[in-house]
Amino acid sequence: MNIGALAQLLQASINSGVLAQTAGAVNLNNSANAYFNAVNNPYPTTAQVGAFINMFPAALQPTVQLFTPFFLGNKYSYFGANATDRNNNNVTRTGYEEKYLVDYNTINAKFTGGLYYKFNANLELSLNSYVGTGTDCIYRS
């Protein structure tokens, strides 16, 4: 997954939604560029980010809070120097081969038993037990 490209898409989507809802009166990209250029800190503090979010009306603040990490990540290249470079910015995890996870020579034994005695129609005594043993078939780290 290309995190930078995803962040650009989310930033653009959130900004266009705000533009549509405010009839073009609030442009989060322009506001964030102006504010964070003035702050001049590639790793803004929590207080600086909070001050930016608080510049907006209360109804808009949750959206601005969602927008801000994507904006900062794209502006300061947290996700890589070029978000459209799919060869250098992909975040992936190689899979596991099944042979390294499963032991097909697993031996398990499970026993369930119970004793029941009914004293009358409303009273019953029961003693139940479950016993199991064997090798672990899935390796965990």
Side-chain angles (χ1 to χ4, degrees):
M1 170 177 279
N2 187 310
I3 299 298
L6 177 62
Q8 285 181 345
L9 174 67
L10 292 170
Q11 176 185 341
S13 297
I14 294 167
N15 189 54
S16 65
V18 169
L19 283 168
Q21 290 299 313
T22 62
V26 177
N27 184 322
L28 293 179
N29 283 327
N30 291 346
S31 299
N33 269 319
Y35 177 82
F36 289 107
N37 284 342
V39 167
N40 194 26
N41 181 0
Y43 300 100
T45 65
T46 303
Q48 290 169 329
V49 172
F52 170 70
I53 293 168
N54 289 331
M55 291 175 19
F56 296 91
L60 198 53
Q61 287 179 6
T63 305
V64 177
Q65 188 172 11
L66 181 64
F67 166 86
T68 304
F70 300 119
F71 172 82
L72 291 172
N74 289 323
K75 178 174 179 62
Y76 295 113
S77 302
Y78 297 165
F79 309 118
N82 181 357
T84 59
D85 181 359
R86 296 192 182 277
N87 294 323
N88 294 322
N89 291 329
N90 288 336
V91 176
T92 61
R93 172 65 178 105
T94 57
Y96 295 100
E97 291 185 45
E98 186 175 336
K99 67 183 180 182
Y100 297 119
L101 297 176
V102 178
D103 177 6
Y104 291 105
N105 297 317
T106 300
I107 299 171
N108 286 314
K110 299 176 185 175
F111 302 98
T112 302
L115 296 172
Y116 302 88
Y117 183 77
K118 192 169 193 175
F119 291 101
N120 57 43
N122 296 323
L123 183 62
E124 181 178 31
L125 174 70
S126 65
L127 176 63
N128 297 299
S129 180
Y130 173 83
V131 177
T133 186
T135 58
D136 193 10
C137 63
I138 302 291
Y139 295 107
R140 297 177 186 98
S141 58

